[in-house]
Amino acid sequence: KVNDREISFNELQFAIEQQRRQLSEIYGDQLDPSLLDDDLLRPGVLNNLVDRALLEDYATTLGITASPEAVRRSIIGNPTFEVDGSFSADYYRDVLRSNGLSPDQYRAEQGNTDQLIKLESIIADADFITPVEAKAAIDVVVERRDVRFLVVPDTALSATSDIDDTAITAFYDANPGLFAQPERLSVEYIELNPAQYALPVDESELEAQLADALADYETKAQSEVAHILLIQEDDETDEAYATRIDEVGSRLAADEDFAAVAADASDDIGSSFVGGDLGFTDGSVFPDAMEDAIASLEVGGVSSPVMTDAGTHFILVKSRSAAEQVPDDLLRAEITESLQAAQTQRDLLIAVDQLRDLVFTSSGLATAAEQLGLSVSTSQPFSRDEGEGLFVESSLRNAAFSEDVLIDGNNSDVIELSGSRFVALAVKERLPEGIKPLAEVRDGIEAQLASEAKDRAMTTLVDEVNASLSAGETLESVSSAKGYEWRVELAATRQNVNLPSSVLQSAFSKRSTDTETVSAVRLDDESYALVQLARTQAGREDTMVGVERDALLREVSDVSASLLRQEFMADLKRRGDVVIR
């Protein structure tokens, strides 16, 4: 309950289903089905509903109301309700009905949306940037710094020769908590996937479908046509109507421009504005009388009056294209792929049903594998929280650690994974929690000890360089003494592209007065950099062009507006009465 408004369980479930549908549309088969679980979606969806209810309540308090015209425009302009590019009232009602909504409910929802849009606009208009804030932002962005840095290769810090078996064993014995591992399982499993059932298609079926497709795919000759339509009005006499027909016929016989006559005389409002253009026909689009006339005309020819239920037509054939045929090899490839996919899916689902029955009625997986002609695989050990290969899928790990499988020793149900993969499993070995053996973690310990030794060597080097700088030496002289390469970049800004990003970030994170120390950062996979800030030049607004300044202030304004909205929502929640049961 939010203030005086109740969010019902049905409303929450409807919102969860909408969220689930949106995620499925965006990610398709790539989405882990476990991410669509109600328990996972519910907190975020409920929070959004609470926020919306608070905003609607506040908007009502301010007297903000929805505009009926805005609601109408949002509905008519929604592409969801379009058929052939235009709003369809019938399709609109069908869509609402399929989602369990009435037109009144949907209009009310859109009205609330319009109300919230106005409130959001008011909140956004409340934000502003003071001249002091603008100047501070500009000063930060256009500030310039002179940067020097030494390049220290990894080999200069190498200390792996000091890491022997004694050091590794001592670290292992002293840090047992680092090598603790949770309970793990090794399972046997049967996997079904489409690749196992991809077989050659039946040639006779392929040829039959190819023959049908060739007939369907044949592109008939296309005629581009235009017309002038004359419709007898209710109060128009037959003589007056015949006179209009004769007048149009006379104008066309006198070679008057067809498009001009259509614009002036045609009663077909939709086509008269485009010269009477009706598009293309292959002989099946218009009434028979019109199609017969079109077929008898040459390109550029105009028909005599043609009578249909719609009225009297004068028809112009503007162009004509010959019939085309899709290449056999293209159709053959498409049909082969379609047949193979359907056949594979059918055989796969039959095997899945068989596997469900077999794992339910048998002990272990050997019988099921034998009857299906498959093999039983064995997984690497995995825990409840992580695994490798197939067992990165949490649904498989959850099934393996379920009471039915782990404690009672039953086979699991058949579990569906993304990509039309299906797995049934049974526990093979249960490995209790404990300490990983030294052989398994030795390489990791050696790498960690090497890294720590390198860090100590780097700390020593930084202290030596800083001592030299404090004694009045320059980074250039330190470079020469130690044999390291050194580089310099003058008047660098935060947008500088010449400096490595880690060096640039280090240089601008230093205090402007810190010019006698270096900081160590990773330069690339093979070296470090010791970064020194040599000099800072305060930023000045007159060094920015207008476009840069405007873009920066827009960015600052966007950040400020986002923070304002966050604080506004936090304040609504503090002052509101939200009860979740």
Side-chain angles (χ1 to χ4, degrees):
K1 190 175 181 182
V2 180
N3 296 332
D4 294 328
R5 181 196 161 180
E6 182 176 335
I7 299 174
S8 68
F9 179 77
N10 288 340
E11 184 179 353
L12 173 60
Q13 286 302 117
F14 182 75
I16 290 173
E17 185 57 37
Q18 284 185 314
Q19 177 78 356
R20 184 183 291 112
R21 189 181 301 117
Q22 290 172 0
L23 291 172
S24 298
E25 289 174 355
I26 293 172
Y27 297 106
D29 290 342
Q30 304 302 315
L31 183 64
D32 184 345
S34 65
L35 297 179
L36 299 178
D37 185 78
D38 278 14
D39 292 338
L40 191 62
L41 297 177
R42 185 177 293 107
V45 172
L46 181 58
N47 187 62
N48 289 338
L49 290 175
V50 169
D51 285 356
R52 182 180 178 111
L54 287 167
L55 287 169
E56 288 174 356
D57 189 57
Y58 189 70
T60 301
T61 301
L62 294 181
I64 300 173
T65 58
S67 162
E69 177 60 23
V71 172
R72 189 188 72 83
R73 285 198 305 269
S74 70
I75 294 174
I76 293 177
N78 191 333
T80 303
F81 308 129
E82 291 183 357
V83 175
D84 296 331
S86 300
F87 175 77
S88 168
D90 290 338
Y91 188 58
Y92 164 65
R93 285 189 287 270
D94 289 343
V95 172
L96 295 189
R97 193 178 300 112
S98 67
N99 285 277
L101 293 171
S102 69
D104 287 343
Q105 288 173 319
Y106 187 71
R107 281 194 297 271
E109 182 179 317
Q110 293 304 300
N112 290 340
T113 299
D114 180 62
Q115 186 184 42
L116 293 185
I117 289 173
K118 291 178 178 178
L119 177 58
E120 293 281 3
S121 176
I122 292 172
I123 297 172
D125 289 343
D127 182 51
F128 60 91
I129 301 297
T130 67
V132 172
E133 290 173 312
K135 183 179 184 304
I138 291 170
D139 288 349
V140 166
V141 168
V142 298
E143 180 187 61
R144 299 178 183 274
R145 294 191 170 196
D146 296 346
V147 183
R148 303 188 186 104
F149 64 98
L150 295 180
V151 179
V152 182
D154 266 2
T155 53
L157 303 173
S158 178
T160 55
S161 59
D162 298 333
I163 303 171
D164 53 19
D165 289 343
T166 301
I168 293 173
T169 302
F171 185 89
Y172 177 78
D173 293 339
N175 298 279
L178 296 177
F179 311 113
Q181 62 183 1
E183 179 184 22
R184 296 175 299 156
L185 300 179
S186 176
V187 300
E188 294 181 330
Y189 65 93
I190 295 174
E191 178 189 2
L192 299 178
N193 60 64
Q196 296 166 330
Y197 296 90
L199 300 173
V201 300
D202 183 277
E203 283 297 324
S204 61
E205 186 175 0
L206 171 60
E207 292 299 332
Q209 290 203 20
L210 178 60
D212 292 340
L214 285 172
D216 292 341
Y217 267 86
E218 183 177 354
T219 305
K220 299 179 181 179
Q222 297 277 328
S223 298
E224 183 183 11
V225 299
H227 82 152
I228 297 169
L229 174 64
L230 302 178
I231 303 173
Q232 186 174 5
E233 299 177 2
D234 293 340
D235 58 352
E236 186 177 20
T237 65
D238 292 343
E239 291 77 9
Y241 183 47
T243 298
R244 279 206 297 142
I245 294 173
D246 291 340
E247 288 176 352
V248 170
S250 297
R251 293 173 67 179
L252 295 174
D255 291 333
E256 189 171 340
D257 182 64
F258 190 92
V261 178
D264 179 49
S266 181
D267 293 328
D268 182 357
I269 298 175
S271 69
S272 63
F273 290 107
V274 288
D277 186 40
L278 292 176
F280 290 84
T281 176
D282 60 1
S284 63
V285 176
F286 305 117
D288 291 343
M290 290 182 67
E291 294 291 358
D292 291 342
I294 292 168
S296 67
L297 291 170
E298 299 292 333
V299 174
V302 178
S303 73
S304 56
V306 177
M307 303 296 295
T308 70
D309 291 341
T312 302
H313 309 258
F314 290 89
I315 303 169
L316 165 67
V317 175
K318 300 172 67 175
S319 67
R320 185 167 281 138
S321 61
E324 296 179 0
Q325 179 65 56
V326 176
D328 288 11
D329 56 349
L330 178 61
L331 276 180
R332 182 180 294 276
E334 290 180 356
I335 295 170
T336 299
E337 182 180 353
S338 176
L339 286 174
Q340 193 167 54
Q343 176 179 291
T344 297
Q345 188 69 9
R346 180 179 62 248
D347 293 346
L348 174 61
L349 293 180
I350 290 173
V352 169
D353 286 339
Q354 293 173 335
L355 180 60
R356 284 195 176 101
D357 292 339
L358 290 167
V359 297
F360 182 74
T361 57
S362 60
S363 175
L365 301 176
T367 301
E370 181 180 354
Q371 293 197 27
L372 292 173
L374 300 171
S375 60
V376 177
S377 302
T378 301
S379 73
Q380 293 295 320
F382 57 85
S383 68
R384 293 178 185 270
D385 298 323
E386 60 181 351
E388 58 184 64
L390 275 180
F391 293 87
V392 299
E393 299 273 1
S394 60
S395 56
L396 292 182
R397 301 196 306 272
N398 292 338
F401 277 95
S402 68
E403 181 176 346
D404 184 50
V405 176
L406 178 60
I407 305 302
D408 297 340
N410 296 319
N411 297 327
S412 74
D413 294 331
V414 176
I415 303 157
E416 182 177 0
L417 306 178
S418 60
S420 296
R421 297 173 298 159
F422 300 84
V423 174
L425 58 84
V427 172
K428 180 180 181 180
E429 185 180 6
R430 187 173 183 178
L431 305 171
E433 62 182 45
I435 305 298
K436 296 178 182 178
L438 177 59
E440 186 177 327
V441 298
R442 177 186 177 84
D443 291 345
I445 294 175
E446 184 174 1
Q448 181 169 343
L449 291 177
S451 176
E452 292 174 355
K454 188 179 294 184
D455 289 344
R456 289 193 296 272
M458 176 58 75
T459 299
T460 300
L461 177 60
V462 168
D463 290 342
E464 291 174 357
V465 172
N466 286 340
S468 298
L469 294 176
S470 296
E473 295 186 44
T474 65
L475 200 62
E476 183 178 8
S477 63
V478 172
S479 169
S480 299
K482 293 186 174 294
Y484 298 148
E485 175 189 0
W486 82 291
R487 303 175 191 173
V488 64
E489 180 74 16
L490 302 177
T493 66
R494 283 177 167 81
Q495 290 76 39
N496 185 281
V497 296
N498 296 324
L499 285 172
S501 59
S502 58
V503 173
L504 186 67
Q505 182 177 357
S506 175
F508 275 93
S509 66
K510 288 176 172 287
R511 293 181 179 275
S512 59
T513 55
D514 183 7
T515 58
E516 293 187 357
T517 66
V518 294
S519 301
V521 296
R522 179 52 99 166
L523 189 59
D524 52 41
D525 291 341
E526 299 179 350
S527 58
Y528 289 83
L530 299 185
V531 184
Q532 179 191 24
L533 172 61
R535 185 180 61 161
T536 299
Q537 302 175 50
R540 298 202 326 270
E541 184 174 351
D542 58 9
T543 62
M544 296 184 78
V545 298
V547 174
E548 292 176 328
R549 182 183 184 280
D550 293 344
L552 170 63
L553 294 184
R554 278 196 302 271
E555 182 178 352
V556 173
S557 179
D558 289 345
V559 172
S560 177
S562 176
L563 293 173
L564 173 65
R565 192 188 186 286
Q566 291 177 26
E567 288 302 317
F568 177 77
M569 286 306 308
D571 184 60
L572 282 185
K573 288 180 178 179
R574 282 192 295 268
R575 293 188 289 110
D577 184 14
V578 180
V579 179
I580 300 177
R581 294 189 296 270

